[in-house]
Amino acid sequence: MLFPLESTLKADAKTVAASGEYDIVIVGSGISGAIIAKQAAEAGKRVLMLEAGTGANITLAGYDDLLTTFYSAVSKDNQSPFPLNANAAMPRSPQLRKLQAGETDSSTYIVQSGPYVSDTTYTRIFGGTTMHWEAKTPRMLRSDFKTRSIFGQGLDWPLSFEEIEEDYRLAEQEIGVSANVEDQQYLGQTFPGDYVFPMRGLPLSYLDQQVNKGIEGTSVELCGKTYPLKVRPYPQGRNSIPNPAYDGGKGYRPIGAVDTHQVEEGGRCQGNTNCVPLCPVQARYHSGKTLAKAFAVNAKAGERLVELLSQAVASKVNIDPDNGKVRSLEVKVYKDPASPAHEAITVRGKVFVFAAGAIETARLMLASGLRSTSGLVGRNLMDHAYLLNWALMPQICGTMRGTSSTGGIVDLRDGPFRERQAAFAIDIHNDGWGWATGAPTSDLLELVDDRNLHGADLRRGVVDRVSRQLLLAFMLEVMPDESNRITVDPQYTDALGNMRPILSFTVPEYTMKGAAYGRRFARTVFARLGAQDHTHYDPGDFGYVAYEGQGYAIRGGNHLAGTHIMGTTRTNSVVDKNQRSWDHENLYLVGGGSMPTIGTANVTLTLAAMCFRSSRDILKYLH
Amino acid sequence: MSSRFEAFLGISVELTAFSRFDLLGTGLAERYLATLDKVVGGEITDTLLAAFVALPPAEGEARIQAVRTTILGNELLGDVARALIKLWYSGTWFELPCAWTERFGPRPADTTFIVSPDAYVEGLLWKAIGAHPAGAKAPGFGSWAFPPKIPALPELVSKA
Ligand SMILES: Cc1cc2nc3c(=O)[nH]c(=O)nc-3n(C[C@H](O)[C@H](O)[C@H](O)COP(=O)(O)OP(=O)(O)OC[C@H]3O[C@@H](n4cnc5c(N)ncnc54)[C@H](O)[C@@H]3O)c2cc1C
Ligand code: SF4
């Protein structure tokens, strides 16, 4: 896929400031902003996109630089491909530490005010967090939209599954989802008539198959109901084999790497096992692919409809006191990530769209003094809680091959037990214990330094230790709670003088009940597999949570949501069901922040679907 | 090939159980020898190589035991040899333990670092387990659905 050359010319701050009113000003070049930019450009609207991070990775050379940074990083943590940038900082997990009661840690970008310390993250760079994501794309279940009515937990959405279903299909097309309908029809999920996904499902890994062999045909009992166990494939936002039956027989053309020059790679996943933090060939979707289409609309019309201004940090929202509309946006544009020197500009538009991610969008609103009539901006922060369980399989399973995760155990995503405890979806990690222990490097250090192996014994030792690894990551439902929130405080600012987000979070009891059950569930599965349980949670771990006499290390899920939830009135929510702000009629707050609940679906497919919906509403508003 | 480089390859084969062919194939052997020279200095490197050259020509268990007592269990050389094993397996030089530095003196270049981006990619660990480094040398679509091809241990010189 080609980026028109002119799209990579950096829009100039002065020209942008002087160029009068745009139809739409979008903050953030992640998938949310990208979808709206593309839909608007296709309707002939003039769009300015502001991106806080650098835009160097828009070209293939810039993208490949990220890969080299990753190869050269000693600690291959989540954010290792993405260079430090104090002007648009992002959370980095290795810097975290456990808090004492009542303590606040402001040494990291997100100020952790506890009691729970979250290692959740997002990426501030051109393409946003999709440059980094794992790209699992399950839909939410019907019941997930009505948990208050059905289970007496959480909140109901102002939208039903039926109302969002068609947009799910658009999102699956845009991302390019690989899955087989027959694999996704569990727990009452249905697909209309002849629907097929754009590409065929990715095959389950050998590890998945070994796990399935041990559990298929067995079941568990929970609250009087029986749940059969089986390993099912995940739908994925990465290129597989196109399904010729897609779109009524028209088929689907996968989009590989994007660049200003024609490149032929990324048309199909090659099994790099590096989807997180960066797919080397761009077989995994990132929002640059959607933006390339948005920029291409310009080229056809002979004028630039979508302008991208990177290194531009939206800093303050100005409201017209007469009508509550957003009048303008103050933006700090820096020249060099290594220096806080910047120029401040003001941009104007008919409509403003904040697509900066759930934490940064709330931060921008709060830093501008905009808490909304409901007072809910920043509140109801949600993120999936992850509980890791790890074991050694009795047989060699060839761990460390395949996409990060191809399959999982997902039959406990729904059931009457949700009246009392969180549902979960379990990922089987093809990259072994990496997330829990730092494997395989930690294994190497142990075998060489502590177990004194060398030569042939060492070679056999690493096979024995690494190729049998099984990690079950339980992704637990977290319900909205107003006291879980993002706030700001002038005493905590970043290099540009913008207030940083402060995170206060308690893992809800509902979730911890699910976690405690999840731990027991993992032990049952390990017993059926004859796998050696190596799970242990260190009380010194930053995410350690005690619950009913046991301790669990809870990890953040990077599925941020809830900070500007949608609802039915201006008093119970921040935005309406089209993600339009109740208080400011020309402002849309889009992305995970609008979601009232997250169920057990990784959030991106759903938030992408909602952005198609908002695009229609914005275009209607502009007419 | 200089005899010094020969000795370096020899000890590397001994410690990693990868053949000369595999080690030369990484294209990193010279750079790893230079890394040793840079971090611990030529003198200690020479002592290590000399200890290897002087090993008795035993086979099997006796040979393993000799490596343990004269190299891995040597107070000066043990930690350096372990760092060399880890370097070959991962491409990373891991900083020597504090106890070593306290006793033999700190070395300015002794920090944990990746020798080069290709050193990560060529780590022997991946080869040993029949996988590939995360993010490189992709084995191809769908390859993950099949059992891993774990390479057999080579017949090593020292055992001949
Ligand atoms: C490791 C990891 C794995 C994940 N795996 C999955 C998965 O498997 N499935 C799934 O569904 N989801 C996954 N996610 C979550 C997913 O990546 C996000 O939900 C999604 O990318 C959010 O898109 P967005 O466009 O709403 O926000 P973002 O992608 O975060 O985009 C926000 C953009 O706004 C920019 N910005 C921020 N502040 C400002 C400002 N003040 N001014 C200007 N620009 C600004 C940022 O630089 C960024 O480009 C994962 C996330 C991570 C980190
Ligand atoms: S497995 Fe590899 S090629 Fe496939 S999407 Fe992930 S990183 Fe890209």
Side-chain angles (χ1 to χ4, degrees):
Chain A
M1 180 88 196
L2 215 54
F3 270 124
L5 198 56
E6 64 275 16
S7 68
T8 60
L9 297 178
K10 236 185 98 190
D12 165 67
K14 288 216 172 54
T15 327
V16 165
S19 83
E21 210 175 59
Y22 291 89
D23 290 321
I24 308 178
V25 175
I26 301 176
V27 177
S29 65
I31 185 170
S32 302
I35 287 175
I36 292 176
K38 173 181 154 280
Q39 297 302 98
E42 284 172 357
K45 300 298 172 203
R46 226 177 127 226
V47 177
L48 172 66
M49 177 170 269
L50 301 167
E51 171 48 53
T54 67
N57 54 319
I58 196 168
T59 63
L60 191 63
Y63 188 96
D64 287 349
D65 282 346
L66 298 179
L67 199 65
T68 308
T69 313
F70 168 73
Y71 288 159
S72 318
V74 168
S75 149
K76 299 257 181 289
D77 69 88
N78 242 335
Q79 301 272 35
S80 50
F82 311 108
L84 290 175
N85 177 355
N87 295 333
M90 43 187 138
R92 289 173 191 262
S93 55
Q95 303 164 338
L96 296 172
R97 63 179 175 80
K98 192 175 160 71
L99 294 179
Q100 301 303 316
E103 193 195 358
T104 290
D105 180 7
S106 63
S107 67
T108 54
Y109 172 65
I110 294 187
V111 178
Q112 300 273 352
S113 103
Y116 171 70
V117 172
S118 175
D119 63 337
T120 202
T121 192
Y122 48 89
T123 304
R124 289 170 92 193
I125 189 167
F126 171 79
T129 316
T130 54
M131 282 292 160
H132 181 169
W133 73 323
E134 191 187 317
K136 280 205 199 72
T137 52
R139 296 176 173 194
M140 285 177 56
L141 305 171
R142 266 191 185 75
S143 54
D144 292 339
F145 291 87
K146 316 190 264 226
T147 57
R148 170 59 47 187
S149 318
I150 304 179
F151 307 113
Q153 297 285 348
L155 296 166
D156 287 351
W157 283 54
L159 281 172
S160 64
F161 174 83
E162 285 70 21
E163 281 170 278
I164 206 173
E165 191 193 358
E166 221 173 296
D167 289 323
Y168 266 143
R169 278 180 263 157
L170 289 178
E172 281 159 356
Q173 177 172 49
E174 189 56 46
I175 292 174
V177 171
S178 298
N180 301 326
V181 163
E182 55 278 18
D183 295 329
Q184 304 305 323
Q185 285 169 320
Y186 61 95
L187 293 175
Q189 293 189 87
T190 55
F191 298 85
D194 56 354
Y195 184 69
V196 297
F197 288 91
M199 289 170 277
R200 295 228 157 91
L202 277 93
L204 286 178
S205 69
Y206 184 68
L207 172 64
D208 294 328
Q209 298 167 37
Q210 299 303 302
V211 174
N212 192 49
K213 238 196 253 165
I215 60 165
E216 195 171 18
T218 71
S219 58
V220 293
E221 295 273 330
L222 181 57
C223 297
K225 221 183 138 192
T226 304
Y227 297 83
L229 301 187
K230 176 178 179 167
V231 175
R232 298 181 191 272
Y234 270 110
Q236 316 239 11
R238 56 177 54 72
N239 292 332
S240 153
I241 299 166
N243 192 331
Y246 185 67
D247 197 8
K250 292 201 201 89
Y252 179 86
R253 245 190 104 208
I255 298 172
V258 287
D259 189 19
T260 44
H261 300 90
Q262 199 65 46
V263 278
E264 292 300 334
E265 65 174 18
R268 192 164 296 172
C269 166
Q270 309 172 342
N272 268 305
T273 327
N274 203 57
C275 320
V276 173
L278 191 71
C279 173
V281 295
Q282 308 187 32
R284 183 203 56 183
Y285 171 84
H286 63 72
S287 66
K289 299 186 183 188
T290 299
L291 285 167
K293 294 184 212 160
F295 294 140
V297 181
N298 297 342
K300 272 183 220 142
E303 57 167 325
R304 294 179 66 182
L305 279 176
V306 181
E307 277 172 68
L308 171 71
L309 184 64
S310 48
Q311 306 193 175
V313 185
S315 298
K316 186 167 181 290
V317 190
N318 294 319
I319 302 293
D320 186 334
D322 294 337
N323 53 22
K325 285 200 206 173
V326 176
R327 184 160 56 193
S328 62
L329 197 56
E330 290 174 26
V331 182
K332 294 177 181 167
V333 186
Y334 59 91
K335 289 235 153 37
D336 177 357
S339 153
H342 64 272
E343 118 186 57
I345 61 167
T346 303
V347 299
R348 292 191 165 70
K350 295 194 180 91
V351 168
F352 290 82
V353 176
F354 296 171
I359 291 188
E360 293 297 326
T361 292
R363 190 208 63 76
L364 174 60
M365 291 293 284
L366 293 170
S368 309
L370 303 173
R371 298 171 51 243
S372 87
T373 303
S374 64
L376 290 177
V377 174
R379 293 186 181 270
N380 293 309
L381 174 68
M382 285 172 275
D383 181 17
H384 284 122
Y386 272 86
L387 182 74
L388 309 182
N389 287 274
W390 58 104
L392 279 186
M393 290 286 279
Q395 74 273 36
I396 302 275
C397 292
T399 314
M400 302 287 165
R401 299 173 315 136
T403 74
S404 298
S405 166
T406 33
I409 304 170
V410 289
D411 286 277
L412 281 94
R413 287 184 62 195
D414 202 12
F417 64 85
R418 290 172 81 189
E419 285 177 13
R420 16 181 326 248
Q421 71 184 53
F424 53 72
I426 305 171
D427 308 342
I428 294 171
H429 267 256
N430 289 329
D431 51 357
W433 297 355
W435 192 3
T437 66
T441 307
S442 56
D443 299 310
L444 176 67
L445 300 188
E446 186 191 323
L447 296 181
V448 175
D449 293 337
D450 303 332
R451 285 176 46 192
N452 284 313
L453 300 184
H454 79 275
D457 292 337
L458 175 61
R459 271 190 75 165
R460 280 187 288 264
V462 292
V463 174
D464 186 58
R465 182 56 184 265
V466 179
S467 301
R468 298 196 289 136
Q469 290 183 357
L470 167 65
L471 182 127
L472 300 180
F474 285 63
M475 181 175 89
L476 293 144
E477 192 177 19
V478 169
M479 290 296 187
D481 180 332
E482 289 185 14
S483 58
N484 285 338
R485 61 193 289 209
I486 294 295
T487 52
V488 293
D489 182 326
Q491 68 170 309
Y492 304 123
T493 54
D494 68 10
L496 291 183
N498 288 319
M499 284 189 255
R500 285 150 52 193
I502 304 169
L503 183 143
S504 320
F505 202 92
T506 302
V507 183
E509 190 182 353
Y510 180 76
T511 301
M512 289 313 300
K513 236 187 214 149
Y517 173 72
R519 177 73 190 117
R520 289 205 301 277
F521 182 97
R523 291 177 62 92
T524 306
V525 168
F526 291 160
R528 288 179 190 174
L529 294 171
Q532 262 171 46
D533 193 356
H534 282 246
T535 312
H536 61 90
Y537 306 122
D538 177 0
D541 187 288
F542 62 81
Y544 192 79
V545 179
Y547 177 71
E548 292 193 333
Q550 298 286 326
Y552 306 86
I554 301 290
R555 291 279 167 267
N558 312 316
H559 297 154
L560 294 157
T563 53
H564 44 84
I565 52 164
M566 60 165 62
T568 48
T569 67
R570 67 172 62 237
T571 50
N572 71 11
S573 56
V574 180
V575 298
D576 69 10
K577 62 181 179 182
N578 296 315
Q579 306 194 78
R580 188 205 295 209
S581 151
W582 290 110
D583 290 350
H584 316 287
E585 66 165 53
N586 66 338
L587 174 64
Y588 289 76
L589 306 176
V590 303
S594 301
M595 297 171 69
T597 59
I598 53 178
T600 47
N602 313 54
V603 293
T604 310
L605 185 80
T606 303
L607 64 86
M610 295 192 308
C611 285
F612 280 102
R613 183 182 180 87
S614 298
S615 302
R616 291 191 297 274
D617 199 58
I618 293 169
L619 293 174
K620 208 157 83 196
Y621 176 80
L622 282 173
H623 272 123
Chain B
M1 248 183 255
S2 75
S3 63
R4 191 166 187 268
F5 184 66
E6 272 298 317
F8 176 73
L9 267 186
I11 188 172
S12 296
V13 169
E14 184 86 41
L15 293 176
T16 63
F18 276 87
S19 69
R20 293 166 55 95
F21 177 77
D22 284 328
L23 299 185
L24 288 170
T26 64
L28 289 159
E30 279 93 352
R31 233 169 319 153
Y32 286 170
L33 176 55
T35 302
L36 267 187
D37 283 333
K38 185 180 90 179
V39 180
V40 297
E43 208 175 305
I44 294 180
T45 307
D46 284 340
T47 315
L48 178 65
L49 300 181
F52 167 73
V53 172
L55 281 175
E59 286 178 31
E61 264 311 308
R63 176 84 179 186
I64 293 173
Q65 197 48 41
V67 173
R68 285 187 185 134
T69 47
T70 57
I71 298 178
L72 294 165
N74 178 293
E75 290 156 289
L76 171 70
L77 302 178
D79 288 326
V80 179
R82 277 183 285 278
L84 178 62
I85 300 178
K86 292 179 278 186
L87 179 61
W88 273 114
Y89 267 72
S90 68
T92 302
W93 175 270
F94 287 92
E95 190 178 336
L96 293 165
C98 303
W100 191 94
T101 336
E102 275 162 25
R103 174 137 178 217
F104 303 107
R107 313 279 145 153
D110 179 30
T111 56
T112 298
F113 65 96
I114 291 214
V115 169
S116 67
D118 51 326
Y120 162 70
V121 171
E122 295 296 338
L124 298 177
L125 172 81
W126 311 109
K127 202 171 258 171
I129 61 174
H132 60 96
K137 298 195 172 178
F141 182 80
S143 54
W144 55 81
F146 301 97
K149 294 199 184 87
I150 295 180
L153 294 191
E155 275 300 317
L156 298 174
V157 243
S158 62
K159 298 209 173 138

